[in-house]
Amino acid sequence: MQLIIMENAAQIGEAAGKLFVDAINKKPNIVLGLATGASPVPTYQYIYKAYERGEVSLRDVTTYNLDEYVGLPKSDKNSYYTFMHRELFDHTDICEENVHFLDGNAADAEAECARYDAALDKAGVDIQLLGVGRNGHIGFNEPSICFTRGAFKVKLTESTIEANSQYFDENPMPHYALTMGVGSIMKAKKIVMIATGAAKADAMAAMIKGEVTPVCPASILQFHHDVVVYMDKEAARLL
Ligand code: GLP
């Protein structure tokens, strides 16, 4: 694991954003796994500003998002579909047919997860971007007794509901989500994680210094051969 500790979220956004822009320029038809949450927002800003400056094109890029809430209208401001369009896609030349999400409104969640896993396996993710939950979750893989493999429907923990409900006002925060499994995340050729703020310090310590256990799903990254972790000083406080 390559650990990079920086001053603040803005610096991380620049460094991680540059990593993605360089990777896209090197392989214009790259397949990216993308994440939501506050952590990747400065990275997305760097990418679309580079696009606006004519330094990169996302025309041939394919993306797969990590997760989506169950039962939230796609048009809700808190759906991850809307988040990704607002924070990145709408500011670039990416093709809508190349962006992929789990459908949190699918009538048959199991079939939807199987469909997504098959598509992911066929595409093969080059770089997976990850945030991390305060409890060490990645995607929406919550602390558990075993590591998950493929996509599945998950009941969110109190910790996650508490952390994310601040964003919800009109529609209440769903208590279920569909998420890529840990096994699928680990198949990405490269993984880039971003963790900022004191609330992530425990998760960073457990992920980096603790044992590999599904109690801290992010700890599995110790077994991946190409992981870059960007942290600010607060998130790295316990290392
Ligand atoms: C959500 C998402 C995760 C994300 C996490 C951290 O639960 N499902 O993919 O990593 O929140 O979010 P934030 O970056 O806002 O702290």
Side-chain angles (χ1 to χ4, degrees), residues 84-157:
M84 287 307 303
H85 284 79
R86 184 178 63 231
E87 302 296 342
L88 178 64
F89 299 151
D90 287 352
H91 310 283
T92 73
D93 60 347
I94 200 160
C95 300
E96 184 63 27
E97 63 266 31
N98 291 345
V99 308
H100 304 280
F101 289 86
L102 280 152
D103 178 1
N105 292 301
D108 183 344
E110 218 172 294
E112 171 59 7
C113 289
R115 176 196 71 80
Y116 206 66
D117 285 340
L120 268 174
D121 276 345
K122 194 164 171 223
V125 173
D126 291 299
I127 310 181
Q128 174 68 56
L129 179 59
L130 291 179
V132 63
R134 298 172 190 186
N135 58 7
H137 76 230
I138 48 177
F140 268 137
N141 290 275
E142 298 281 29
S144 170
I145 50 165
C146 59
F147 285 112
T148 59
R149 284 174 186 275
F152 69 106
K153 180 174 172 179
V154 61
K155 183 166 174 29
L156 303 174
T157 61

Side-chain angles (χ1 to χ4, degrees), residues 35-40 66-67 80 130-133 137-140 160 164 167 200:
T36 52
S39 310
L66 276 171
D67 44 17
Y80 286 162
L130 291 179
V132 63
H137 76 230
I138 48 177
F140 268 137
T160 300
N164 291 6
Y167 301 116
K200 304 293 171 68

Side-chain angles (χ1 to χ4, degrees), residues 199-215:
K200 304 293 171 68
D202 286 332
M204 283 300 96
M207 173 181 102
I208 295 161
K209 299 201 304 189
E211 60 173 328
V212 175
T213 163
V215 174

Side-chain angles (χ1 to χ4, degrees), residues 73-87:
K74 210 170 162 182
S75 58
D76 188 284
K77 73 175 196 307
N78 285 306
S79 81
Y80 286 162
Y81 173 89
T82 296
F83 176 98
M84 287 307 303
H85 284 79
R86 184 178 63 231
E87 302 296 342

